Amino acid sequence: MGGYTLIENASLATRNTLRVAAKASLLAEIRDASKLPELLQFPAIRNRPLLVLGEGSNVLFTGDFDGTVLVMATRGVQVESDDDSARIAVAAGERWDDFVRWTLGQGYAGMENLILIPGTVGAAPIQNIGAYGCEVAEFVESVEAWDIREHRVVTLDHATCAFAYRDSLFKREPGRYIVTAVRFVLPRQRELRTDYAGIHDELQRMGVDKPAPFHVAEAVVHLRTKKLPDPDVIGNAGSFFKNPIVDSTLAESLAREHAGLVSWPAGEGRSKLSAAWLIETAGFKGLREGDAGISNRHALVLVNHGKASGEQLWALAQRVMDGVKASFGVQLEPEPLVIGARLD
Ligand code: FAD
Ligand code: EPU
């Protein structure tokens, strides 16, 4: 059939990087976004739960999904205009890291700090992916989506997307939009961001004193490879918790009690606390319960040592949240979408 493939009772085990053995009643892999309206009208899909999935690098299935998992597998990169900056439309199913490397190869600047983040281009605006002092929102001009509520294609401009730290309109209105393409504006020249902890040292180690974007990209690749476990080796979804943003007065009083507290200014009397520091200090780094664990390399990363179920992973995550709350009075929130669990 043209444009999509349907599989009943489909395994999701290789479609989530936490390697949880969940199943979906129906899996629809779509390669032609124009077929979405037709597909969504199928009786087996209409009025049943729907989950859009990219590479599953930011989801935790706590059980099977009783509905349709719609995998965006569309492809295409189109340069719409190219001058001092380029406007580039990219299909949702393109791999993020392939796109980043392509932009660097074409001599566009900006994406170097966002190299090696797993997942698809369509998922990038959902949580406004960010790393090493940069967020994707800085480059997003608009997002094209199928609006499930309004039954039509919409173009959401940058302001409408309401991007914030690991947040956007898409997270605030879950289930409403299927992102089909993202339109980026990338400059040819841009001041490099090298102030995030570790980048300077890494550049020095590489013997580079006048860095170009590809040097920064290489430094970020080194740092990420050192710090984060590889999902091909051990199941994980990157940071499992967001860094909590709290009133600066709370951050200051915590810092008086705990000399090593790690925090960053977050604007308007707010501070961002390092969740990794809170988790490590509360004693959870490296903890293992059966096959569910907290990485011994990075305290923010929940890992599947082998056959942990989604429920077991979620139970450990809740234990960590309760422990951090008891030690510091700070409520952690999961970063990935947790499917099938109640989030109060
Ligand atoms: P999925 O996990 O499949 O989906 C994530 C969310 O987006 C779900 O809510 C899903 O419903 C929704 N979604 C996906 N595609 C669409 C679409 N087309 N339309 C509508 N909704 C959609 N994230 C960072 O921000 N910074 C990092 O540095 C970072 N490092 C990571 C390192 C590792 C090792 C791993 C495993 C993950 C890391 N992540 C990081 C998280 C992850 O890479 C990002 O969240 C990524 O954008 C998820 O892409 P995905 O295609 O796998 O999305
Ligand atoms: N730290 C600890 N213990 C650890 C690890 C880190 O105490 O085990 C402390 C250290 O003081 C360190 C600080 O935490 O300096 C910050 O660590 P890191 O630079 O690794 O950043 P992070 O805040 O833990 C965030 C993002 C990552 C992103 C990195 C780099 C969130 C939730 N996570 O992690 O994104 O790659 O910064 O910019 O904001 C993701 O979202 O999945 C993700 C991996």
Side-chain angles (χ1 to χ4, degrees), residues 132 165-166 196 227 239 241 243 274 280 285 298-299 335:
Y132 292 88
Y165 166 66
R166 295 295 189 273
Y196 194 91
K227 282 191 195 181
S239 301
F241 302 100
N243 287 324
S274 160
E280 180 168 352
K285 189 170 178 174
H298 200 301
E335 179 190 283

Side-chain angles (χ1 to χ4, degrees), residues 113 132 191-211 215-216 219-220 222-223 226:
N113 299 54
Y132 292 88
E191 206 176 313
L192 293 172
R193 298 266 172 86
T194 55
D195 38 357
Y196 194 91
I199 296 189
H200 277 297
D201 290 352
E202 199 57 41
L203 288 169
Q204 231 168 33
R205 203 193 53 76
M206 288 159 55
V208 175
D209 33 82
K210 286 206 178 63
H215 290 121
V216 175
V220 170
H222 287 161
L223 286 168
K226 244 188 323 202

